[in-house]
Amino acid sequence: MNTPDRLVEATRELLWERGYVGTSPKAIQRRAGVGQGSMYHHFGGKPDLALAAVLRTCAQVREAAGRLLDTPGTAYGRISAYLLREREVLRGCPVGRLTMDPEIVADDGLRAPVEETIGWLRGRLTEIVQEGLDAGEFSPDLVPAETAAAVVATVQGGYVLARASGSPVAFDAAVTGLLALLAPRTPTA
């Protein structure tokens, strides 16, 4: 990994662990194994490095979700794969963590990629729910945009429940409950 990549990865991890205020240039340099000169040679300062880290975090989250949501299969199967994918539940969501950081949310440039990523996820889930409705897979009572919001809220809320209890069991229970509510309709005779 080259020096700029090491700096971005170090910043990404520190933002996830400590937030913007808790991520000092010294901590970034230490984590990346580079000196101050290297950091400022590649980036104008902490704000530029934070933006690069936020953009990379958002891209990685979108890529991971897209691998599951953009595959062939039933709508329920794709949503289920997204909800059940392996996660570091007790660490929380790297994008969700950014939404709880007052410094990130207050900065339009740092908040924009986070907002776009969450909007993309909700939009993609809305499309998939609509596909399931069109195929007769889901109850016709489902409203695609509201269901997509519930999926995102379940994941983010599941992280909060797991972190509060110190156990991934709470996350798993939230996901299992949502999947039961979304379970495909069975035809009645």
Side-chain angles (χ1 to χ4, degrees):
M1 194 180 301
N2 63 32
T3 299
D5 283 337
R6 287 198 331 263
L7 285 162
V8 171
E9 279 305 306
T11 305
R12 204 177 73 70
E13 287 293 319
L14 288 165
L15 287 174
W16 193 1
E17 293 168 13
R18 303 179 183 181
Y20 188 86
V21 170
T23 300
S24 69
K26 285 280 187 215
I28 295 167
Q29 293 160 22
R30 227 180 350 267
R31 177 79 57 105
V34 303
Q36 181 177 355
S38 291
M39 180 175 149
Y40 290 103
H41 172 74
H42 295 289
F43 296 94
K46 178 179 166 181
D48 291 342
L49 197 45
L51 178 58
V54 168
L55 288 168
R56 183 172 294 174
T57 294
C58 290
Q60 288 176 351
V61 166
R62 283 176 77 152
E63 181 183 330
R67 278 194 304 268
L68 300 167
L69 297 174
D70 297 336
T71 59
T74 65
Y76 180 84
R78 290 182 287 157
I79 292 170
S80 178
Y82 169 72
L83 288 169
L84 295 171
R85 79 173 175 84
E86 192 168 324
R87 294 174 162 85
E88 294 182 67
V89 174
L90 295 179
R91 282 190 78 192
C93 174
V95 171
R97 170 70 172 99
L98 295 170
T99 67
M100 294 184 280
D101 190 316
E103 301 298 322
I104 301 286
V105 173
D107 183 299
D108 291 341
L110 294 174
R111 186 183 69 248
V114 174
E115 187 177 356
E116 289 168 14
T117 299
I118 292 171
W120 170 84
L121 180 59
R122 288 181 65 182
R124 189 66 191 105
L125 287 164
T126 297
E127 293 168 358
I128 293 169
V129 172
Q130 185 61 59
E131 291 171 21
L133 285 168
D134 294 344
E137 191 177 338
F138 293 133
S139 165
D141 298 333
L142 288 184
V143 176
E146 292 172 2
T147 304
V151 171
V152 174
T154 297
V155 171
Q156 294 304 316
Y159 282 124
V160 171
L161 294 172
R163 287 176 60 107
S165 69
S167 169
V169 171
F171 182 94
D172 296 341
V175 165
T176 301
L178 179 59
L179 287 172
L181 292 172
L182 292 176
R185 299 182 321 155
T186 48
T188 54

